[in-house]
Amino acid sequence: MSPSPPPGGPVHVIGASGRSGVALCRALLEQGTPFVPVVRDAARWRATGLPGDPAIADLTGPADGLRRALAGAARVASTAHARHVPALLAAMPEGAALVCLGSTRKFTRWPDAHGNGVLAGEAALMASGRDGVILHPTMIYGAQGENNVRRLAALLRRLPVTPLPGGGHALVQPIHQDDVTRSMLAALGRAWDGPHALVIAGGTALSYRDFAAMVARHAGLRPRPVLPVPAAAMMAAAWATRVLPGLPPVGTAEIRRLLEDKAFDTGPMARELGVVPIGLEDGLGRLFGR
């Protein structure tokens, strides 16, 4: 049986005042698609400068509040953590489709609360039989206020070298916020026959050492030589980033993840969504305005 046409009506955006939520709402506004921002704090929504009266709901609060916020929804787009997918599925009207964000953290060799929450959210969507998709982005950069690439640039400004576990040879494939937003718009605009899961990634896969060098160049910094450091030593020294002024904090779990490849085929993303991601040179140029 072929899938029915995608539902119309406004898009209910969960987490509308967050980074990816604001980007999605701006894009919906630009294309003339009505939306209902669903947020926990009305003041934070007003601070975005975007129009519309928000629906107030706390994803960790009583189920009735979320159910009221989603009353009549035909399409729900969630930029909140995937751990909240079970609550969303329980509150959504019957027949409503869900497009939500997960994370490629689900593939890590070192499970943590973040990755386990993503796995639980995907499992809930798959078991529900609902029409929709969970999109698993790689590391997102380029959003207003993001702290991935900007934090790396801030760290490089303070250091004469680039310390990386194992010399930084593992692969990374960051995705620009614009491509995350384009992917969500495409997912909202097509019909889904049952639940799906899809990785979305940037257009460039490269080693961490090359990634750091590219960030430094776009940030206007001189080249930094790479200093290979044992991961255990870097994790032991990570506490210093939490107490020394001017250094962005770095967690031990982040250091450990620098040892695993995070590169993915973008073919399924292009086939299913029609989105071909931009390359890292282009993305960093947009971010740093150089």
Side-chain angles (χ1 to χ4, degrees):
M1 184 175 66
S2 61
S4 58
V11 177
H12 286 63
V13 181
I14 307 293
S17 58
R19 287 188 289 267
S20 291
V22 168
L24 177 60
C25 290
R26 283 203 181 104
L28 290 168
L29 184 66
E30 288 173 3
Q31 71 175 24
T33 300
F35 63 90
V36 177
V38 181
V39 298
R40 183 172 54 184
D41 185 346
R44 187 177 175 188
W45 168 252
R46 288 192 294 270
T48 68
L50 290 168
D53 295 324
I56 306 301
D58 187 341
L59 293 175
T60 61
D64 287 347
L66 185 56
R67 195 172 293 114
R68 285 193 298 270
L70 296 178
R75 292 181 292 175
V76 176
S78 176
T79 61
H81 193 283
R83 71 172 68 92
H84 300 297
V85 167
L88 290 174
L89 292 170
M92 288 165 50
E94 185 177 352
L98 176 63
V99 173
C100 57
L101 288 181
S103 170
T104 51
R105 183 81 66 85
K106 76 170 201 164
F107 297 111
T108 183
R109 290 175 288 162
W110 296 285
D112 57 7
H114 183 105
N116 289 337
V118 172
L119 290 169
E122 179 180 315
L125 176 61
M126 293 303 173
S128 73
R130 289 260 191 176
D131 293 340
V133 63
I134 181 168
L135 302 175
H136 294 296
T138 53
M139 182 181 74
I140 301 173
Y141 72 102
Q144 183 176 3
E146 65 89 10
N147 62 353
N148 292 318
V149 169
R150 293 184 187 276
R151 187 169 49 139
L152 174 58
L155 188 62
L156 292 174
R157 284 192 181 95
R158 303 282 297 184
L159 299 175
V161 297
T162 304
L164 287 171
H169 293 286
L171 298 178
V172 64
Q173 193 173 349
I175 183 169
H176 196 280
Q177 178 66 60
D178 290 352
D179 285 332
V180 176
T181 302
R182 290 169 60 211
S183 296
M184 293 200 76
L185 289 175
L188 287 165
R190 62 157 284 180
W192 296 96
D193 186 10
H196 295 74
L198 184 65
V199 168
I200 56 175
T204 306
L206 73 173
S207 68
Y208 273 100
R209 61 190 297 134
D210 291 339
F211 172 54
M214 193 181 293
V215 169
R217 174 164 52 83
H218 278 272
L221 304 175
R222 61 175 177 77
R224 264 71 169 159
V226 171
L227 176 64
V229 180
M234 285 193 69
M235 287 188 282
W239 65 271
T241 64
R242 297 190 291 270
V243 297
L244 293 178
L247 283 180
V250 179
T252 56
E254 292 179 89
I255 295 171
R256 187 162 47 207
R257 288 195 299 274
L258 293 177
L259 295 170
E260 58 185 358
D261 286 336
K262 292 182 282 291
F264 300 90
D265 180 11
T266 59
M269 171 185 178
R271 289 193 300 272
E272 295 293 331
L273 302 175
V275 175
V276 177
I278 64 173
L280 190 59
E281 283 282 359
D282 186 359
L284 292 178
R286 296 183 189 185
L287 175 60
F288 290 103
R290 297 177 67 87

